[in-house]
Amino acid sequence: RGLDEATADAAIDRGFASVAAIHRLMSFHEPGSELSRLNREAASRKVAVDPRTLEVLRLSVTVAEASAGVFDPTIAPWLVAWEYLPSPADAPLPQAGATWRDIDLDDDGVRYRRPLWIDLGGIAKGYAVDAAFEAMALPPEVEACVDAGGDLRVQGPRPQRVVLNAPAQQPEALPLLELTDGAVASSTGFAARRRHERRWVSPHLHGGRRRPAPVERFASVVAPRCAVADALTKVALAAGPDAAATYRHFDATAHLFSQGIGWHTVGRLA
């Protein structure tokens, strides 16, 4: 709201083009993506990458360090074993013990200290939302929203209401957020849960312990940037309230729901 139709359509087209570019660069599923090339080649040589890929990798390492490894972009082997991701073609098998600490980054490119598989599914969608906003280049008085399905960013003079749609709850019992000029990401493993070797798993796990996150937990994280909010939902699902210092480090607030415990809020606004 607040733009003429032609200008708004052009801005929206720029936003969609930016999201498509992020997908082409960072998709784990696409063999031709830049991320897939890294998983094939970066253990044997330094690989030059697009500045956007490098920015997401740097943020991933920053979140991994701040969370003591709860967030770790090198968890892809577990997601492949649990059949949430395809096995990457022609990539060397990951070495046991490889973690985010084995990713070397500089302005010239990316090198893995040992074979590993990176998946950016826990952060790249949020980054794409931020990139869409940057590409649209909207005046601050324009009201706008980019919603990528669980990853949301808004701007404008009026607050936007967001339902925290925790699993197995009555609609009338669900809380609401009011969001102004910020981002929120929400995630749960409940709908995607499955049995693997007699335990429940989901697409989320504790990076340091390499164990599934509780599948019944729901997390919504509010942060200035959607990429940060997206990454911190993975921390919230795996570590819950124990990661309060991590949320505060990024000026973020986590709203958590667990069966039998209910709602609680930790982080900046708690």
Side-chain angles (χ1 to χ4, degrees):
R1 296 186 178 93
L3 292 175
D4 64 83
E5 185 173 354
T7 304
D9 285 347
I12 291 169
D13 287 344
R14 293 195 302 272
F16 273 113
S18 179
V19 171
I22 302 306
H23 175 78
R24 288 193 297 270
L25 289 170
M26 305 181 202
S27 171
F28 189 92
H29 294 77
E30 300 292 340
S33 73
E34 198 164 70
L35 178 64
S36 293
R37 181 159 59 90
L38 283 175
N39 287 336
R40 289 193 299 267
E41 302 175 12
S44 58
R45 66 178 184 88
K46 181 178 286 188
V47 178
V49 296
D50 186 281
R52 292 165 290 186
T53 304
L54 189 61
E55 183 180 4
V56 173
L57 288 170
R58 281 178 167 154
L59 180 58
S60 296
V61 169
T62 298
V63 178
E65 184 174 18
S67 66
V70 177
F71 180 87
D72 189 337
T74 69
I75 61 170
W78 281 261
L79 300 183
V80 170
W82 298 345
E83 299 182 345
Y84 289 107
L85 291 176
S87 182
D90 302 321
L93 291 175
Q95 193 173 110
T99 72
W100 63 273
R101 298 181 185 275
D102 296 301
I103 305 170
D104 283 335
L105 305 170
D106 60 38
D107 291 342
D108 295 325
V110 182
R111 178 72 190 265
Y112 299 168
R113 295 178 186 172
R114 58 175 106 178
L116 54 85
W117 293 344
I118 287 177
D119 170 43
L120 296 175
I123 190 171
K125 187 164 70 168
Y127 179 82
V129 170
D130 293 329
F133 257 93
E134 184 175 344
M136 289 190 294
L138 301 169
E141 68 275 10
V142 170
E143 186 175 313
C145 168
V146 176
D147 183 351
D151 293 63
L152 177 74
R153 183 168 166 179
V154 302
Q155 76 162 49
R158 296 191 303 175
Q160 302 293 315
R161 288 188 171 185
V162 180
V163 178
L164 303 189
N165 194 17
Q169 299 300 295
Q170 295 298 319
E172 62 273 13
L174 294 173
L176 292 171
L177 289 178
E178 284 196 339
L179 186 66
T180 305
D181 289 329
V184 60
S186 300
S187 191
T188 180
F190 189 77
R193 71 193 187 282
R194 61 178 57 150
R195 299 290 290 180
H196 178 81
E197 295 180 353
R198 293 181 292 183
R199 63 178 176 177
W200 286 109
V201 300
S202 77
H204 313 294
L205 65 153
H206 190 298
R209 299 171 184 167
R210 298 314 207 225
R211 293 180 180 174
V215 297
E216 77 284 355
R217 184 175 285 163
F218 171 88
S220 281
V221 177
V222 180
R225 297 174 58 195
C226 200
V228 170
D230 191 11
L232 291 182
T233 60
K234 314 313 178 292
V235 176
L237 290 177
D242 295 339
T246 304
Y247 313 136
R248 289 194 294 268
H249 177 83
F250 291 100
D251 198 25
T253 304
H255 303 280
L256 307 170
F257 177 83
S258 296
Q259 298 287 345
I261 298 176
W263 287 96
H264 47 279
T265 297
V266 290
R268 182 176 67 89
L269 297 180

